[in-house]
Amino acid sequence: MYDAFVVALSVFIGVAFHEMFGMAMFSRPIVVAPLTGLLMGDLQTGLAVGAALEAIFMGVVNIGISSSAEPALAAGLATAFSIQIGGNMSAIIPLAFPLAVLGLQLLNMIFSFVCGPWALKFFKYARNADEKKMIALHYGMWVVHFGLYALIPFFAVLFGSNAVKAALNSIPTVIMNGLTAAGNLLPAVGMAMLLRMLWRKDLAVWYFLGIIMMAYLKLPLIAIAVIGAIVAIVIAQRDLQLKKIKETTTTVTGLDTNTAANSDEQEEEDFFK
């Protein structure tokens, strides 16, 4: 019961606070999974699952109607099941993306069929300028929407952990090895999705530099991230200096043009005098 409540709370915090604070990324696996692991007493597994899933969902950003997956549900369930089956997250990770896709559909269904009918109430309160009732209804729907959604991981963990463990134990070794290999490949898919959005020819050199530092220089990811941050700061400072030089040059050029025009006018006046 405690584990089910903890997972539901973590998923609620992720999705509800993400929306409440303006797409604040609370629903990302790197937030939900460690929080779930901390509350379940296994922060290390939570961090490992969060890092693995964040690599998968790094390129998944739901904007408007362009939505594909809801990672908070997948992160909470993957962390809980990994902890309950003894830290074997390699078998759980391949199931994360289907869970995230299903989670988004369920979240939208709750919004459409439970919260949607209350929209007319908002119009009524707005016409009557009843601000207090609008605020109360807004926060009430916020609790109902994400509270009902949090019940999904609650019952999944409450009734499903033993079933998941039994199912995993019954899977043949060959299939389990295949699931493990698929789980190891999914982060590469996540990075590919991210690169597809960010790829630019003028930035490609930094991508290949990172590969060289990791593959040949054997630098850890933290060191590469720090080097990347330093490069970004240096480029930003250079761009700022170039902008200031451009503004200064434009100002000086403008002054020179005005001076030359005034000089021509003065020569004309002197000639006609």
Side-chain angles (χ1 to χ4, degrees):
M1 178 67 76
Y2 173 77
D3 289 348
F5 175 77
V6 162
V7 176
L9 178 63
S10 299
V11 172
F12 177 84
I13 291 174
V15 292
F17 284 27
H18 173 76
E19 296 284 346
M20 176 60 68
F21 295 104
M23 305 301 173
M25 299 299 167
F26 280 97
S27 63
R28 303 302 299 181
I30 201 64
V31 176
V32 176
L35 177 60
T36 304
L38 177 64
L39 295 177
M40 292 183 67
D42 192 348
L43 179 59
Q44 184 175 356
T45 299
L47 290 170
V49 173
L53 292 183
E54 189 63 36
I56 297 172
F57 290 99
M58 192 177 295
V60 177
V61 179
N62 299 322
I63 302 174
I65 61 173
S66 178
S67 303
S68 58
E70 197 291 294
L73 179 69
L77 291 177
T79 304
F81 291 150
S82 296
I83 293 174
Q84 291 179 346
I85 64 176
N88 183 17
M89 70 177 197
S90 60
I92 299 296
I93 295 300
L95 304 176
F97 198 83
L99 286 173
V101 174
L102 176 62
L104 181 64
Q105 303 306 316
L106 294 174
L107 187 65
N108 289 336
M109 286 181 61
I110 295 172
F111 179 77
S112 300
F113 295 105
V114 177
C115 300
W118 291 88
L120 295 177
K121 285 289 185 180
F122 282 103
F123 287 114
K124 178 182 178 181
Y125 295 151
R127 284 194 297 268
N128 298 333
D130 198 335
E131 183 179 353
K132 292 183 178 180
K133 288 185 178 180
M134 287 186 65
I135 293 174
L137 184 59
H138 169 74
Y139 285 106
M141 288 296 99
W142 177 73
V143 173
V144 170
H145 185 195
F146 299 113
L148 289 176
Y149 184 65
L151 291 177
I152 298 170
F154 176 83
F155 288 111
V157 174
L158 185 64
F159 299 114
S161 59
N162 293 329
V164 170
K165 187 175 182 178
L168 291 175
N169 290 334
S170 64
I171 295 176
T173 304
V174 176
I175 297 178
M176 183 61 69
N177 291 338
L179 289 174
T180 302
N184 293 332
L185 288 173
L186 284 176
V189 176
M191 291 300 298
M193 293 172 64
L194 183 64
L195 282 174
R196 186 177 180 183
M197 293 188 296
L198 301 179
W199 185 261
R200 282 168 44 185
K201 292 181 179 180
D202 56 332
L203 299 179
V205 61
W206 302 110
Y207 171 73
F208 292 110
L209 177 62
I211 292 178
I212 292 172
M213 288 191 295
M214 185 176 190
Y216 295 98
L217 301 181
K218 306 299 181 181
L219 292 178
L221 288 177
I222 293 179
I224 296 175
V226 172
I227 293 173
I230 293 172
V231 170
I233 293 172
V234 171
I235 292 177
Q237 290 178 338
R238 185 204 62 180
D239 291 344
L240 183 60
Q241 291 174 352
L242 291 175
K243 182 180 178 182
K244 290 181 179 179
I245 292 172
K246 184 178 180 181
E247 291 175 350
T248 304
T249 303
T250 303
T251 303
V252 172
T253 303
L255 291 175
D256 291 343
T257 303
N258 292 334
T259 302
N262 292 334
S263 177
D264 292 340
E265 292 177 359
Q266 185 65 35
E267 288 180 359
E268 291 178 1
E269 290 178 1
D270 293 340
F271 176 79
F272 286 112
K273 285 181 180 179

